Amino acid sequence: MVDPMVQELLEQAIDSPVKLHLLMMFYENPRMEATARAIADRVCRDIWSVSQALSEMAHDGIMLISAVSNGEPVYRYDPVQERLESIDQLVSRYDDPMERDLLHHSIRDLAAYAIFRHTNVWETQVA
C-alpha cells in the first residue's frame, strides 16, 4: 500500500513514468536548469512527452519556469511548500525496492487516466 500522502502527490502531480523520472532527476540535481529539449536529450526521451510533463509539473507546483532561452522555457526544480514533504517521502520510499515496485504500479495505473484528468483541468481553466 502506497502512503496516502505519496498517493495524493501521484494522483495530483506525478501521474506518469516520465514525470517520475524527471522528478527524480531534478531532486538529485536541484540546481539544474534546462529547456525541455536539453532535458529530453539528457534522459533519452522524446521532446513532446518531456515538454508536456514539464509544463504540467510547473502547473502543479513542482517545477518553475525561470527564464526563456531561444523561445523555449527554462525549467528548474522549485516545489511549492505544500509539496515538499510528500516529495521527500516519495523519494525515500523509492529507495526501497518493494516500495518502488508499488510506486511504479500505481503510476502505471494513474497514467492510463492522466490524459482525461488533465483534459478536464485544462478545459475548466479555459472556461
Side-chain angles (χ1 to χ4, degrees), residues 61-110:
I62 295 174
M63 303 301 292
L64 180 71
I65 298 173
S66 61
V68 176
S69 174
N70 296 327
E72 291 185 66
V74 175
Y75 293 92
R76 73 178 167 100
Y77 179 69
D78 189 22
V80 294
Q81 187 68 33
E82 298 82 38
R83 298 266 191 226
L84 290 175
E85 186 178 351
S86 57
I87 290 171
D88 288 341
Q89 284 190 13
L90 171 65
V91 171
S92 70
R93 293 184 184 284
Y94 196 81
D95 288 338
D96 179 290
M98 298 296 283
E99 289 284 335
R100 185 180 314 131
D101 188 48
L102 288 173
L103 289 169
H104 279 284
H105 180 73
S106 183
I107 288 172
R108 281 192 302 274
D109 287 346
L110 289 169

mmCIF file of all heavy atoms in Angstrom, residues 61-110:
data_model
loop_
_atom_site.group_PDB
_atom_site.id
_atom_site.type_symbol
_atom_site.label_atom_id
_atom_site.label_comp_id
_atom_site.label_asym_id
_atom_site.label_seq_id
_atom_site.Cartn_x
_atom_site.Cartn_y
_atom_site.Cartn_z
ATOM 1 N N GLY A 61 2.980 22.925 -9.448
ATOM 2 C CA GLY A 61 3.779 23.447 -8.340
ATOM 3 C C GLY A 61 5.027 22.671 -7.994
ATOM 4 O O GLY A 61 5.507 22.735 -6.863
ATOM 5 N N ILE A 62 5.592 21.971 -8.967
ATOM 6 C CA ILE A 62 6.830 21.230 -8.718
ATOM 7 C C ILE A 62 8.002 21.886 -9.435
ATOM 8 O O ILE A 62 9.093 21.967 -8.904
ATOM 9 C CB ILE A 62 6.680 19.749 -9.127
ATOM 10 C CG1 ILE A 62 5.634 19.109 -8.227
ATOM 11 C CG2 ILE A 62 8.008 19.020 -9.052
ATOM 12 C CD1 ILE A 62 5.268 17.711 -8.589
ATOM 13 N N MET A 63 7.769 22.336 -10.640
ATOM 14 C CA MET A 63 8.804 22.992 -11.432
ATOM 15 C C MET A 63 8.457 24.475 -11.539
ATOM 16 O O MET A 63 7.325 24.881 -11.334
ATOM 17 C CB MET A 63 8.874 22.386 -12.832
ATOM 18 C CG MET A 63 9.123 20.889 -12.872
ATOM 19 S SD MET A 63 10.649 20.377 -12.094
ATOM 20 C CE MET A 63 11.825 21.084 -13.204
ATOM 21 N N LEU A 64 9.476 25.250 -11.908
ATOM 22 C CA LEU A 64 9.308 26.680 -12.123
ATOM 23 C C LEU A 64 9.938 27.024 -13.463
ATOM 24 O O LEU A 64 11.010 26.512 -13.797
ATOM 25 C CB LEU A 64 9.990 27.463 -10.997
ATOM 26 C CG LEU A 64 9.908 28.976 -11.084
ATOM 27 C CD1 LEU A 64 8.475 29.433 -10.796
ATOM 28 C CD2 LEU A 64 10.847 29.600 -10.073
ATOM 29 N N ILE A 65 9.266 27.859 -14.219
ATOM 30 C CA ILE A 65 9.869 28.371 -15.447
ATOM 31 C C ILE A 65 10.675 29.590 -15.029
ATOM 32 O O ILE A 65 10.114 30.611 -14.636
ATOM 33 C CB ILE A 65 8.807 28.718 -16.499
ATOM 34 C CG1 ILE A 65 8.028 27.461 -16.887
ATOM 35 C CG2 ILE A 65 9.450 29.377 -17.723
ATOM 36 C CD1 ILE A 65 6.842 27.704 -17.786
ATOM 37 N N SER A 66 12.003 29.459 -15.081
ATOM 38 C CA SER A 66 12.869 30.506 -14.549
ATOM 39 C C SER A 66 13.276 31.533 -15.593
ATOM 40 O O SER A 66 13.688 32.635 -15.240
ATOM 41 C CB SER A 66 14.118 29.883 -13.925
ATOM 42 O OG SER A 66 14.857 29.169 -14.891
ATOM 43 N N ALA A 67 13.186 31.186 -16.867
ATOM 44 C CA ALA A 67 13.592 32.098 -17.940
ATOM 45 C C ALA A 67 13.101 31.526 -19.263
ATOM 46 O O ALA A 67 12.448 30.483 -19.297
ATOM 47 C CB ALA A 67 15.107 32.236 -17.955
ATOM 48 N N VAL A 68 13.446 32.212 -20.335
ATOM 49 C CA VAL A 68 13.173 31.726 -21.684
ATOM 50 C C VAL A 68 14.470 31.822 -22.455
ATOM 51 O O VAL A 68 15.153 32.844 -22.417
ATOM 52 C CB VAL A 68 12.063 32.552 -22.361
ATOM 53 C CG1 VAL A 68 11.860 32.112 -23.795
ATOM 54 C CG2 VAL A 68 10.760 32.456 -21.578
ATOM 55 N N SER A 69 14.830 30.741 -23.118
ATOM 56 C CA SER A 69 16.060 30.696 -23.910
ATOM 57 C C SER A 69 15.719 30.269 -25.328
ATOM 58 O O SER A 69 15.163 29.185 -25.528
ATOM 59 C CB SER A 69 17.047 29.705 -23.284
ATOM 60 O OG SER A 69 18.181 29.549 -24.091
ATOM 61 N N ASN A 70 16.021 31.130 -26.294
ATOM 62 C CA ASN A 70 15.704 30.853 -27.704
ATOM 63 C C ASN A 70 14.232 30.495 -27.887
ATOM 64 O O ASN A 70 13.896 29.579 -28.633
ATOM 65 C CB ASN A 70 16.598 29.747 -28.258
ATOM 66 C CG ASN A 70 18.047 30.137 -28.285
ATOM 67 O OD1 ASN A 70 18.373 31.304 -28.492
ATOM 68 N ND2 ASN A 70 18.923 29.184 -28.066
ATOM 69 N N GLY A 71 13.370 31.165 -27.178
ATOM 70 C CA GLY A 71 11.935 30.930 -27.291
ATOM 71 C C GLY A 71 11.419 29.736 -26.517
ATOM 72 O O GLY A 71 10.229 29.446 -26.557
ATOM 73 N N GLU A 72 12.278 29.030 -25.816
ATOM 74 C CA GLU A 72 11.869 27.858 -25.040
ATOM 75 C C GLU A 72 11.939 28.164 -23.550
ATOM 76 O O GLU A 72 12.908 28.785 -23.097
ATOM 77 C CB GLU A 72 12.790 26.667 -25.314
ATOM 78 C CG GLU A 72 12.676 26.082 -26.694
ATOM 79 C CD GLU A 72 13.530 24.826 -26.826
ATOM 80 O OE1 GLU A 72 13.226 23.819 -26.151
ATOM 81 O OE2 GLU A 72 14.517 24.877 -27.572
ATOM 82 N N PRO A 73 10.953 27.697 -22.767
ATOM 83 C CA PRO A 73 11.034 27.898 -21.312
ATOM 84 C C PRO A 73 12.208 27.120 -20.715
ATOM 85 O O PRO A 73 12.533 26.025 -21.167
ATOM 86 C CB PRO A 73 9.707 27.357 -20.784
ATOM 87 C CG PRO A 73 8.939 26.864 -21.935
ATOM 88 C CD PRO A 73 9.751 27.007 -23.174
ATOM 89 N N VAL A 74 12.814 27.702 -19.703
ATOM 90 C CA VAL A 74 13.890 27.046 -18.955
ATOM 91 C C VAL A 74 13.289 26.630 -17.619
ATOM 92 O O VAL A 74 12.760 27.461 -16.881
ATOM 93 C CB VAL A 74 15.092 27.995 -18.738
ATOM 94 C CG1 VAL A 74 16.145 27.334 -17.869
ATOM 95 C CG2 VAL A 74 15.677 28.416 -20.085
ATOM 96 N N TYR A 75 13.361 25.350 -17.323
ATOM 97 C CA TYR A 75 12.752 24.799 -16.120
ATOM 98 C C TYR A 75 13.789 24.571 -15.031
ATOM 99 O O TYR A 75 14.928 24.222 -15.318
ATOM 100 C CB TYR A 75 12.069 23.461 -16.437
ATOM 101 C CG TYR A 75 10.875 23.604 -17.343
ATOM 102 C CD1 TYR A 75 11.016 23.493 -18.726
ATOM 103 C CD2 TYR A 75 9.621 23.853 -16.819
ATOM 104 C CE1 TYR A 75 9.923 23.624 -19.562
ATOM 105 C CE2 TYR A 75 8.520 23.988 -17.654
ATOM 106 C CZ TYR A 75 8.680 23.870 -19.024
ATOM 107 O OH TYR A 75 7.598 24.006 -19.846
ATOM 108 N N ARG A 76 13.335 24.743 -13.800
ATOM 109 C CA ARG A 76 14.159 24.376 -12.651
ATOM 110 C C ARG A 76 13.246 23.821 -11.569
ATOM 111 O O ARG A 76 12.055 24.100 -11.519
ATOM 112 C CB ARG A 76 14.991 25.538 -12.150
ATOM 113 C CG ARG A 76 14.258 26.616 -11.433
ATOM 114 C CD ARG A 76 15.267 27.686 -10.960
ATOM 115 N NE ARG A 76 14.580 28.872 -10.538
ATOM 116 C CZ ARG A 76 14.331 29.167 -9.267
ATOM 117 N NH1 ARG A 76 14.717 28.366 -8.308
ATOM 118 N NH2 ARG A 76 13.691 30.274 -8.958
ATOM 119 N N TYR A 77 13.844 23.023 -10.719
ATOM 120 C CA TYR A 77 13.125 22.380 -9.621
ATOM 121 C C TYR A 77 12.886 23.403 -8.516
ATOM 122 O O TYR A 77 13.829 23.960 -7.966
ATOM 123 C CB TYR A 77 13.961 21.206 -9.114
ATOM 124 C CG TYR A 77 13.366 20.440 -7.954
ATOM 125 C CD1 TYR A 77 12.227 19.676 -8.126
ATOM 126 C CD2 TYR A 77 13.952 20.479 -6.704
ATOM 127 C CE1 TYR A 77 11.692 18.956 -7.073
ATOM 128 C CE2 TYR A 77 13.427 19.761 -5.642
ATOM 129 C CZ TYR A 77 12.292 19.005 -5.835
ATOM 130 O OH TYR A 77 11.765 18.295 -4.803
ATOM 131 N N ASP A 78 11.628 23.673 -8.224
ATOM 132 C CA ASP A 78 11.272 24.635 -7.184
ATOM 133 C C ASP A 78 9.863 24.322 -6.684
ATOM 134 O O ASP A 78 8.916 25.054 -6.977
ATOM 135 C CB ASP A 78 11.346 26.059 -7.731
ATOM 136 C CG ASP A 78 11.204 27.114 -6.653
ATOM 137 O OD1 ASP A 78 11.459 26.805 -5.471
ATOM 138 O OD2 ASP A 78 10.820 28.248 -6.998
ATOM 139 N N PRO A 79 9.712 23.211 -5.941
ATOM 140 C CA PRO A 79 8.371 22.832 -5.499
ATOM 141 C C PRO A 79 7.802 23.811 -4.486
ATOM 142 O O PRO A 79 8.539 24.393 -3.684
ATOM 143 C CB PRO A 79 8.566 21.448 -4.876
ATOM 144 C CG PRO A 79 10.005 21.359 -4.554
ATOM 145 C CD PRO A 79 10.729 22.276 -5.494
ATOM 146 N N VAL A 80 6.484 23.974 -4.536
ATOM 147 C CA VAL A 80 5.809 24.802 -3.540
ATOM 148 C C VAL A 80 5.914 24.108 -2.179
ATOM 149 O O VAL A 80 6.085 22.885 -2.098
ATOM 150 C CB VAL A 80 4.337 25.061 -3.921
ATOM 151 C CG1 VAL A 80 4.238 25.902 -5.185
ATOM 152 C CG2 VAL A 80 3.560 23.766 -4.067
ATOM 153 N N GLN A 81 5.821 24.882 -1.141
ATOM 154 C CA GLN A 81 5.992 24.384 0.227
ATOM 155 C C GLN A 81 5.086 23.178 0.523
ATOM 156 O O GLN A 81 5.509 22.228 1.177
ATOM 157 C CB GLN A 81 5.701 25.519 1.225
ATOM 158 C CG GLN A 81 6.011 25.170 2.658
ATOM 159 C CD GLN A 81 7.500 25.012 2.918
ATOM 160 O OE1 GLN A 81 8.315 25.690 2.309
ATOM 161 N NE2 GLN A 81 7.850 24.112 3.805
ATOM 162 N N GLU A 82 3.875 23.198 0.025
ATOM 163 C CA GLU A 82 2.913 22.121 0.301
ATOM 164 C C GLU A 82 3.336 20.781 -0.300
ATOM 165 O O GLU A 82 2.843 19.740 0.114
ATOM 166 C CB GLU A 82 1.523 22.485 -0.250
ATOM 167 C CG GLU A 82 0.904 23.716 0.357
ATOM 168 C CD GLU A 82 1.415 25.008 -0.276
ATOM 169 O OE1 GLU A 82 1.630 25.056 -1.509
ATOM 170 O OE2 GLU A 82 1.618 25.976 0.472
ATOM 171 N N ARG A 83 4.211 20.798 -1.276
ATOM 172 C CA ARG A 83 4.648 19.564 -1.944
ATOM 173 C C ARG A 83 5.918 18.968 -1.346
ATOM 174 O O ARG A 83 6.228 17.814 -1.589
ATOM 175 C CB ARG A 83 4.908 19.835 -3.428
ATOM 176 C CG ARG A 83 3.699 20.281 -4.202
ATOM 177 C CD ARG A 83 3.032 19.112 -4.837
ATOM 178 N NE ARG A 83 2.024 19.550 -5.782
ATOM 179 C CZ ARG A 83 0.816 19.037 -5.833
ATOM 180 N NH1 ARG A 83 0.478 18.075 -5.014
ATOM 181 N NH2 ARG A 83 -0.053 19.470 -6.711
ATOM 182 N N LEU A 84 6.673 19.741 -0.587
ATOM 183 C CA LEU A 84 7.997 19.299 -0.139
ATOM 184 C C LEU A 84 7.969 17.995 0.653
ATOM 185 O O LEU A 84 8.745 17.081 0.370
ATOM 186 C CB LEU A 84 8.676 20.400 0.689
ATOM 187 C CG LEU A 84 9.100 21.629 -0.096
ATOM 188 C CD1 LEU A 84 9.645 22.690 0.855
ATOM 189 C CD2 LEU A 84 10.121 21.271 -1.150
ATOM 190 N N GLU A 85 7.108 17.887 1.636
ATOM 191 C CA GLU A 85 7.081 16.688 2.475
ATOM 192 C C GLU A 85 6.697 15.449 1.671
ATOM 193 O O GLU A 85 7.318 14.394 1.806
ATOM 194 C CB GLU A 85 6.128 16.873 3.657
ATOM 195 C CG GLU A 85 6.163 15.723 4.621
ATOM 196 C CD GLU A 85 5.246 15.916 5.828
ATOM 197 O OE1 GLU A 85 4.701 17.015 6.017
ATOM 198 O OE2 GLU A 85 5.083 14.936 6.576
ATOM 199 N N SER A 86 5.685 15.582 0.825
ATOM 200 C CA SER A 86 5.267 14.418 0.039
ATOM 201 C C SER A 86 6.341 14.019 -0.986
ATOM 202 O O SER A 86 6.546 12.827 -1.228
ATOM 203 C CB SER A 86 3.923 14.664 -0.640
ATOM 204 O OG SER A 86 3.961 15.807 -1.451
ATOM 205 N N ILE A 87 7.052 14.983 -1.541
ATOM 206 C CA ILE A 87 8.149 14.655 -2.462
ATOM 207 C C ILE A 87 9.265 13.944 -1.716
ATOM 208 O O ILE A 87 9.797 12.932 -2.184
ATOM 209 C CB ILE A 87 8.663 15.917 -3.178
ATOM 210 C CG1 ILE A 87 7.615 16.423 -4.169
ATOM 211 C CG2 ILE A 87 9.987 15.632 -3.893
ATOM 212 C CD1 ILE A 87 7.923 17.775 -4.781
ATOM 213 N N ASP A 88 9.620 14.447 -0.535
ATOM 214 C CA ASP A 88 10.653 13.780 0.269
ATOM 215 C C ASP A 88 10.249 12.347 0.600
ATOM 216 O O ASP A 88 11.079 11.432 0.539
ATOM 217 C CB ASP A 88 10.932 14.563 1.555
ATOM 218 C CG ASP A 88 11.695 15.854 1.312
ATOM 219 O OD1 ASP A 88 12.322 15.995 0.236
ATOM 220 O OD2 ASP A 88 11.658 16.732 2.188
ATOM 221 N N GLN A 89 8.995 12.143 0.960
ATOM 222 C CA GLN A 89 8.527 10.789 1.266
ATOM 223 C C GLN A 89 8.562 9.900 0.024
ATOM 224 O O GLN A 89 8.943 8.736 0.109
ATOM 225 C CB GLN A 89 7.110 10.827 1.839
ATOM 226 C CG GLN A 89 7.068 11.278 3.270
ATOM 227 C CD GLN A 89 5.689 11.084 3.876
ATOM 228 O OE1 GLN A 89 4.828 10.396 3.319
ATOM 229 N NE2 GLN A 89 5.484 11.688 5.028
ATOM 230 N N LEU A 90 8.169 10.446 -1.108
ATOM 231 C CA LEU A 90 8.210 9.677 -2.347
ATOM 232 C C LEU A 90 9.639 9.224 -2.653
ATOM 233 O O LEU A 90 9.883 8.055 -2.934
ATOM 234 C CB LEU A 90 7.673 10.509 -3.518
ATOM 235 C CG LEU A 90 7.855 9.928 -4.921
ATOM 236 C CD1 LEU A 90 7.067 8.638 -5.101
ATOM 237 C CD2 LEU A 90 7.471 10.937 -5.965
ATOM 238 N N VAL A 91 10.579 10.142 -2.552
ATOM 239 C CA VAL A 91 11.974 9.810 -2.848
ATOM 240 C C VAL A 91 12.516 8.785 -1.855
ATOM 241 O O VAL A 91 13.190 7.834 -2.249
ATOM 242 C CB VAL A 91 12.841 11.091 -2.869
ATOM 243 C CG1 VAL A 91 14.318 10.745 -2.959
ATOM 244 C CG2 VAL A 91 12.427 11.979 -4.033
ATOM 245 N N SER A 92 12.208 8.940 -0.577
ATOM 246 C CA SER A 92 12.718 7.977 0.404
ATOM 247 C C SER A 92 12.094 6.601 0.206
ATOM 248 O O SER A 92 12.769 5.586 0.345
ATOM 249 C CB SER A 92 12.494 8.481 1.833
ATOM 250 O OG SER A 92 11.126 8.469 2.161
ATOM 251 N N ARG A 93 10.821 6.549 -0.160
ATOM 252 C CA ARG A 93 10.174 5.264 -0.408
ATOM 253 C C ARG A 93 10.691 4.633 -1.698
ATOM 254 O O ARG A 93 10.715 3.417 -1.832
ATOM 255 C CB ARG A 93 8.665 5.421 -0.446
ATOM 256 C CG ARG A 93 8.103 5.792 0.911
ATOM 257 C CD ARG A 93 6.606 5.855 0.907
ATOM 258 N NE ARG A 93 6.087 6.305 2.176
ATOM 259 C CZ ARG A 93 6.008 5.578 3.271
ATOM 260 N NH1 ARG A 93 6.430 4.334 3.265
ATOM 261 N NH2 ARG A 93 5.507 6.075 4.382
ATOM 262 N N TYR A 94 11.097 5.442 -2.633
ATOM 263 C CA TYR A 94 11.612 4.942 -3.906
ATOM 264 C C TYR A 94 12.912 4.172 -3.713
ATOM 265 O O TYR A 94 13.248 3.308 -4.514
ATOM 266 C CB TYR A 94 11.819 6.108 -4.878
ATOM 267 C CG TYR A 94 11.984 5.676 -6.303
ATOM 268 C CD1 TYR A 94 10.863 5.377 -7.082
ATOM 269 C CD2 TYR A 94 13.232 5.573 -6.885
ATOM 270 C CE1 TYR A 94 11.003 4.971 -8.399
ATOM 271 C CE2 TYR A 94 13.379 5.173 -8.209
ATOM 272 C CZ TYR A 94 12.260 4.871 -8.955
ATOM 273 O OH TYR A 94 12.395 4.469 -10.257
ATOM 274 N N ASP A 95 13.622 4.451 -2.640
ATOM 275 C CA ASP A 95 14.870 3.743 -2.360
ATOM 276 C C ASP A 95 14.653 2.290 -1.968
ATOM 277 O O ASP A 95 15.555 1.471 -2.094
ATOM 278 C CB ASP A 95 15.655 4.454 -1.247
ATOM 279 C CG ASP A 95 16.272 5.759 -1.725
ATOM 280 O OD1 ASP A 95 16.457 5.927 -2.941
ATOM 281 O OD2 ASP A 95 16.561 6.613 -0.868
ATOM 282 N N ASP A 96 13.470 1.950 -1.486
ATOM 283 C CA ASP A 96 13.145 0.584 -1.097
ATOM 284 C C ASP A 96 12.604 -0.158 -2.325
ATOM 285 O O ASP A 96 11.619 0.284 -2.927
ATOM 286 C CB ASP A 96 12.094 0.604 0.014
ATOM 287 C CG ASP A 96 11.687 -0.781 0.455
ATOM 288 O OD1 ASP A 96 11.012 -1.488 -0.334
ATOM 289 O OD2 ASP A 96 12.027 -1.158 1.588
ATOM 290 N N PRO A 97 13.204 -1.280 -2.715
ATOM 291 C CA PRO A 97 12.768 -1.986 -3.933
ATOM 292 C C PRO A 97 11.295 -2.393 -3.924
ATOM 293 O O PRO A 97 10.631 -2.302 -4.958
ATOM 294 C CB PRO A 97 13.672 -3.222 -3.978
ATOM 295 C CG PRO A 97 14.854 -2.877 -3.149
ATOM 296 C CD PRO A 97 14.374 -1.916 -2.104
ATOM 297 N N MET A 98 10.786 -2.812 -2.792
ATOM 298 C CA MET A 98 9.374 -3.210 -2.719
ATOM 299 C C MET A 98 8.464 -1.991 -2.891
ATOM 300 O O MET A 98 7.468 -2.044 -3.614
ATOM 301 C CB MET A 98 9.077 -3.910 -1.387
ATOM 302 C CG MET A 98 9.869 -5.189 -1.194
ATOM 303 S SD MET A 98 9.450 -6.458 -2.395
ATOM 304 C CE MET A 98 7.917 -7.006 -1.721
ATOM 305 N N GLU A 99 8.805 -0.903 -2.223
ATOM 306 C CA GLU A 99 8.032 0.329 -2.349
ATOM 307 C C GLU A 99 8.114 0.867 -3.782
ATOM 308 O O GLU A 99 7.132 1.369 -4.316
ATOM 309 C CB GLU A 99 8.536 1.393 -1.367
ATOM 310 C CG GLU A 99 8.210 1.107 0.072
ATOM 311 C CD GLU A 99 6.756 1.385 0.419
ATOM 312 O OE1 GLU A 99 6.110 2.210 -0.251
ATOM 313 O OE2 GLU A 99 6.270 0.757 1.376
ATOM 314 N N ARG A 100 9.296 0.781 -4.378
ATOM 315 C CA ARG A 100 9.478 1.258 -5.750
ATOM 316 C C ARG A 100 8.549 0.514 -6.695
ATOM 317 O O ARG A 100 7.932 1.109 -7.578
ATOM 318 C CB ARG A 100 10.930 1.074 -6.186
ATOM 319 C CG ARG A 100 11.219 1.648 -7.559
ATOM 320 C CD ARG A 100 12.661 1.457 -7.996
ATOM 321 N NE ARG A 100 13.582 1.796 -6.935
ATOM 322 C CZ ARG A 100 14.597 1.020 -6.554
ATOM 323 N NH1 ARG A 100 14.818 -0.137 -7.156
ATOM 324 N NH2 ARG A 100 15.396 1.388 -5.582
ATOM 325 N N ASP A 101 8.432 -0.798 -6.503
ATOM 326 C CA ASP A 101 7.538 -1.588 -7.344
ATOM 327 C C ASP A 101 6.095 -1.131 -7.178
ATOM 328 O O ASP A 101 5.355 -0.983 -8.160
ATOM 329 C CB ASP A 101 7.683 -3.070 -6.998
ATOM 330 C CG ASP A 101 6.943 -3.953 -7.958
ATOM 331 O OD1 ASP A 101 7.094 -3.755 -9.182
ATOM 332 O OD2 ASP A 101 6.193 -4.838 -7.489
ATOM 333 N N LEU A 102 5.676 -0.873 -5.944
ATOM 334 C CA LEU A 102 4.319 -0.373 -5.694
ATOM 335 C C LEU A 102 4.102 0.995 -6.338
ATOM 336 O O LEU A 102 3.040 1.265 -6.905
ATOM 337 C CB LEU A 102 4.052 -0.283 -4.188
ATOM 338 C CG LEU A 102 3.876 -1.587 -3.439
ATOM 339 C CD1 LEU A 102 3.800 -1.332 -1.935
ATOM 340 C CD2 LEU A 102 2.626 -2.305 -3.915
ATOM 341 N N LEU A 103 5.110 1.854 -6.229
ATOM 342 C CA LEU A 103 5.003 3.187 -6.827
ATOM 343 C C LEU A 103 4.853 3.096 -8.344
ATOM 344 O O LEU A 103 3.999 3.768 -8.935
ATOM 345 C CB LEU A 103 6.224 4.031 -6.470
ATOM 346 C CG LEU A 103 6.321 4.487 -5.021
ATOM 347 C CD1 LEU A 103 7.696 5.072 -4.738
ATOM 348 C CD2 LEU A 103 5.232 5.490 -4.700
ATOM 349 N N HIS A 104 5.674 2.251 -8.966
ATOM 350 C CA HIS A 104 5.588 2.103 -10.419
ATOM 351 C C HIS A 104 4.229 1.530 -10.839
ATOM 352 O O HIS A 104 3.647 1.983 -11.828
ATOM 353 C CB HIS A 104 6.719 1.221 -10.954
ATOM 354 C CG HIS A 104 8.003 1.955 -11.121
ATOM 355 N ND1 HIS A 104 8.240 2.825 -12.149
ATOM 356 C CD2 HIS A 104 9.127 1.964 -10.368
ATOM 357 C CE1 HIS A 104 9.444 3.337 -12.038
ATOM 358 N NE2 HIS A 104 10.009 2.831 -10.959
ATOM 359 N N HIS A 105 3.733 0.591 -10.081
ATOM 360 C CA HIS A 105 2.419 0.018 -10.385
ATOM 361 C C HIS A 105 1.333 1.094 -10.283
ATOM 362 O O HIS A 105 0.481 1.221 -11.160
ATOM 363 C CB HIS A 105 2.123 -1.159 -9.444
ATOM 364 C CG HIS A 105 0.803 -1.789 -9.685
ATOM 365 N ND1 HIS A 105 0.553 -2.582 -10.787
ATOM 366 C CD2 HIS A 105 -0.360 -1.726 -8.986
ATOM 367 C CE1 HIS A 105 -0.703 -2.988 -10.750
ATOM 368 N NE2 HIS A 105 -1.276 -2.477 -9.669
ATOM 369 N N SER A 106 1.383 1.868 -9.224
ATOM 370 C CA SER A 106 0.403 2.937 -9.026
ATOM 371 C C SER A 106 0.487 3.981 -10.135
ATOM 372 O O SER A 106 -0.534 4.426 -10.660
ATOM 373 C CB SER A 106 0.631 3.585 -7.660
ATOM 374 O OG SER A 106 -0.334 4.566 -7.411
ATOM 375 N N ILE A 107 1.697 4.350 -10.526
ATOM 376 C CA ILE A 107 1.876 5.351 -11.580
ATOM 377 C C ILE A 107 1.392 4.827 -12.928
ATOM 378 O O ILE A 107 0.769 5.564 -13.700
ATOM 379 C CB ILE A 107 3.340 5.817 -11.642
ATOM 380 C CG1 ILE A 107 3.636 6.700 -10.432
ATOM 381 C CG2 ILE A 107 3.635 6.565 -12.939
ATOM 382 C CD1 ILE A 107 5.077 7.079 -10.263
ATOM 383 N N ARG A 108 1.632 3.567 -13.211
ATOM 384 C CA ARG A 108 1.129 2.999 -14.470
ATOM 385 C C ARG A 108 -0.393 3.052 -14.499
ATOM 386 O O ARG A 108 -0.990 3.359 -15.540
ATOM 387 C CB ARG A 108 1.634 1.567 -14.653
ATOM 388 C CG ARG A 108 3.060 1.492 -15.154
ATOM 389 C CD ARG A 108 3.440 0.079 -15.595
ATOM 390 N NE ARG A 108 3.300 -0.919 -14.542
ATOM 391 C CZ ARG A 108 4.234 -1.203 -13.634
ATOM 392 N NH1 ARG A 108 5.376 -0.559 -13.650
ATOM 393 N NH2 ARG A 108 4.027 -2.122 -12.719
ATOM 394 N N ASP A 109 -1.033 2.761 -13.375
ATOM 395 C CA ASP A 109 -2.490 2.846 -13.309
ATOM 396 C C ASP A 109 -2.961 4.280 -13.518
ATOM 397 O O ASP A 109 -3.912 4.537 -14.255
ATOM 398 C CB ASP A 109 -3.009 2.335 -11.958
ATOM 399 C CG ASP A 109 -2.910 0.828 -11.829
ATOM 400 O OD1 ASP A 109 -2.691 0.136 -12.856
ATOM 401 O OD2 ASP A 109 -3.042 0.320 -10.693
ATOM 402 N N LEU A 110 -2.295 5.221 -12.859
ATOM 403 C CA LEU A 110 -2.674 6.626 -12.990
ATOM 404 C C LEU A 110 -2.434 7.146 -14.406
ATOM 405 O O LEU A 110 -3.200 7.964 -14.906
ATOM 406 C CB LEU A 110 -1.896 7.476 -11.989
ATOM 407 C CG LEU A 110 -2.288 7.296 -10.525
ATOM 408 C CD1 LEU A 110 -1.266 7.975 -9.624
ATOM 409 C CD2 LEU A 110 -3.681 7.839 -10.277
#
